[in-house]
Amino acid sequence: MLFPTLDFALFFVAVFAVAWSLRRQDGARKMFLLGVSYFFYGYWDWRFCFLLLFASLVAYAAGVALATTGDLRRRKLIVGVAVTLLLAVLGFFKYYNFFLDSLSRLLEVAGLERDMLFLEILLPVGISFFTFHAISYIVDVYRGDAVARRSVVDVLLYMSFFPPLVAGPIVRAAQFLPQLESRRRLTRRALAIGLVLCLVGLFKKMVVANYLATDLVDPVFFDPSAYGTPVLLFAAYGYAVQIYCDFSGYSDLAIGTAALLGYHLKPNFRQPYRSGSLQEFWRRWHISLSSWLRDYLYKPLGGSRHGELATYRNLFVTMFLGGLWHGAAWTFVIWGMLHGAGLAAERWFRDRFGTEGRRSAIGAIVAVVLTFHFVCAAWIFFRAENFGIAMDYFAGLAALAWDVSMITPFSLALIAIPLLFQFTPENLAERIAASIKAAPALALAVGTAVGVVLIELVAPAGTAPFIYFQF
Amino acid sequence: MNPAIDRTRFGTAANVRAGLIVFAVSLLLLAMFLSSSLQSYAYDLPVNPLTETIVAWVDAWHGWMEAIGAVQVAEGIADAVARFHDMTFAQ
């Protein structure tokens, strides 16, 4: 079930009404939310529900086992077995054919061609996200950051709670589970923030991301050799804005709908294209993934505690695996490696010259422009269907051939406006929500309704799936 | 503001009611201004006696919306967006 559809609107109105009518019966409310979350997930393909249930039960069992033993070796073994099981399932569904294909090509190069057992595997939507939810729960319990739950319903609901289920944000157990213990209240602030975020998310996805995809990005990335340098540059900016609006739009909708149900999820994006360095970019882009990778991968690898070389290696390995997490293709791996190498180079430069905090205004602008263009260049690998198309794209950029065929006032506005919003005061949605929260219910209703109707009228026909559904 | 009054005005029950009003008004306005999309949605439903009744209602609703001019307002906005969308720098 996609967020910007009538099906979801009717589903959510019913869930909102029933969930709040059960607000004094915590157990029934949780059971209801659990049931509707599985319904939401099963709407794609009911068979995937068993996979979600399996990952949830592995997390639950590991939590219970960890709570019953204080022996460090046993605890490590429990974490190791559970995480291996979860990663094995993820690996099979997401990477089986990719690794087999890579192995086949490697053997072919070595002259040892073999027939491989390729399988037609349907990728369960959101598998990367709920696997990370499960690992977060197990590791948080192991570290003592979260208490192991005796209630299987709590763990199942944490794993399946529908707003962030299929495309994040990745919710930490230590942040979400305590919210299941206290009675939920719907404050006027949460109502206002929920409505504002839903409107902003709908606009970003349905208007900006969908138009940019169909009018500009999809045709140019389909055959970059057919376009000149200005169009290729414009489409690279277009994709940077499209993926931002698509993914942050989904996050806004997830955080907004969760707020309307009384749950707080942390922001996932904070105007990433205003960043003056890659390090800052990763503190603003897909924050729930970058902080997850930092806490569950980079730090366990040693972080920055074992000298310069080890730090660079850890940065590189973390981003390499972060790239692979996005998808089973070498283009994602290259995207991750570019960011890893960029972060390591930036660290080396900062360690030598210590530029942080000493930039002039012009220096700060140059840093933002350079960071943005590095990120755009890496996005070309991320978006390209394969390595060859990415290379064609760069060749076209370097060819310096004149062509402005795809640059229109409409697409220019679609790119320029979201980029300008990168430089407005932070937490703009919260500020707007704070200013409207005291408005009468009817005024809120008319304002929201007019916004929704305008978005529907302006948006192109049809509902394209979110980019991050494939991850 | 008196905290007791604040709790009454802005307590969970009042906010849930406000939320339901928001959803109801939004769905009503969507049904008014996008009645043709509603028609397409209804026609895509699996055919059975219930959905045939729904289709008849939706057709009648769409006719009313045309009669009161809501459909024309929506088409006017969509046309304006389409003109901007199709504009080029050469024009």
Side-chain angles (χ1 to χ4, degrees), chain B:
Chain B
M1 191 184 287
N2 182 336
I5 296 170
D6 188 37
R7 266 200 301 278
T8 318
R9 260 190 75 189
F10 293 141
T12 294
N15 293 329
V16 171
R17 272 196 302 278
L20 289 172
I21 292 170
V22 169
F23 299 143
V25 174
S26 299
L27 288 173
L28 176 68
L29 258 66
L30 281 170
M32 284 175 68
F33 290 97
L34 285 106
S35 56
S36 51
S37 303
L38 198 61
Q39 231 178 357
S40 311
Y41 182 85
Y43 277 102
D44 285 344
L45 291 171
V47 180
N48 61 48
L50 175 67
T51 55
E52 278 174 19
T53 313
I54 292 172
V55 166
W57 284 348
V58 168
D59 283 341
W61 174 264
H62 182 60
W64 295 337
M65 292 308 110
E66 276 185 322
I68 65 168
V71 173
Q72 290 80 341
V73 171
E75 283 172 355
I77 295 171
D79 286 347
V81 174
R83 276 197 300 278
F84 181 35
H85 177 258
D86 297 338
M87 205 182 275
T88 64
F89 280 109
Q91 286 170 328

Side-chain angles (χ1 to χ4, degrees), chain A residues 181-406:
Chain A
E181 285 169 3
S182 56
R183 184 156 293 171
R184 295 291 89 200
R185 291 173 58 237
L186 184 63
T187 62
R188 198 54 176 236
R189 182 174 171 275
L191 177 69
I193 285 180
L195 294 175
V196 169
L197 285 177
C198 286
L199 276 180
V200 171
L202 280 176
F203 181 78
K204 282 178 177 172
K205 167 62 184 164
M206 292 182 68
V207 178
V208 182
N210 284 0
Y211 268 122
L212 281 175
T214 51
D215 285 0
L216 177 69
V217 175
D218 290 353
V220 173
F221 273 86
F222 180 72
D223 183 10
S225 60
Y227 300 94
T229 305
V231 168
L232 291 171
L233 192 62
F234 191 63
Y237 296 155
Y239 184 62
V241 173
Q242 184 207 336
I243 192 169
Y244 167 70
C245 286
D246 193 288
F247 191 21
S248 75
Y250 185 93
S251 292
D252 289 340
L253 285 162
I255 295 166
T257 48
L260 290 172
L261 292 172
Y263 298 96
H264 174 69
L265 306 182
K266 286 188 175 174
N268 209 18
F269 290 86
R270 289 192 305 118
Q271 299 166 305
Y273 294 138
R274 71 191 287 171
S275 306
S277 67
L278 284 178
Q279 189 185 39
E280 187 185 352
F281 176 77
W282 282 104
R283 285 183 188 146
R284 293 175 176 277
W285 178 272
H286 201 176
I287 299 164
S288 64
L289 175 69
S290 48
S291 59
W292 196 100
L293 291 173
R294 180 196 65 208
D295 294 345
Y296 300 106
L297 190 58
Y298 176 69
K299 284 183 180 172
L301 282 171
S304 56
R305 285 168 297 158
H306 302 294
E308 269 186 86
L309 278 178
T311 304
Y312 304 148
R313 180 204 62 201
N314 294 340
L315 281 169
F316 188 80
V317 169
T318 302
M319 294 312 297
F320 168 82
L321 291 173
L324 197 59
W325 175 86
H326 279 85
W330 285 106
T331 45
F332 292 119
V333 174
I334 293 167
W335 172 79
M337 291 197 304
L338 278 174
H339 274 277
L343 282 166
E346 204 175 84
R347 181 105 184 187
W348 178 87
F349 193 79
R350 203 170 50 242
D351 287 348
R352 297 286 176 289
F353 306 104
T355 52
E356 200 83 338
R358 287 196 281 130
R359 283 188 189 133
S360 63
I362 292 173
I365 292 167
V366 169
V368 170
V369 171
L370 284 177
T371 305
F372 178 67
H373 282 83
F374 180 91
V375 169
C376 285
W379 282 140
I380 291 172
F381 284 103
F382 193 92
R383 173 60 182 81
E385 205 63 44
N386 54 52
F387 187 73
I389 288 188
M391 286 297 100
D392 285 349
Y393 207 106
F394 284 108
L397 280 172
L400 299 179
W402 185 252
D403 166 25
V404 290
S405 57
M406 303 284 277

Side-chain angles (χ1 to χ4, degrees), chain A residues 31-63:
Chain A
M31 284 299 293
F32 171 72
L33 286 175
L34 180 60
V36 294
S37 293
Y38 270 79
F39 174 79
F40 173 85
Y41 192 60
Y43 207 77
W44 272 282
D45 189 330
W46 60 270
R47 292 168 300 178
F48 294 159
C49 289
F50 292 105
L51 209 58
L52 176 61
L53 184 65
F54 171 77
S56 306
L57 291 176
V58 167
Y60 173 73

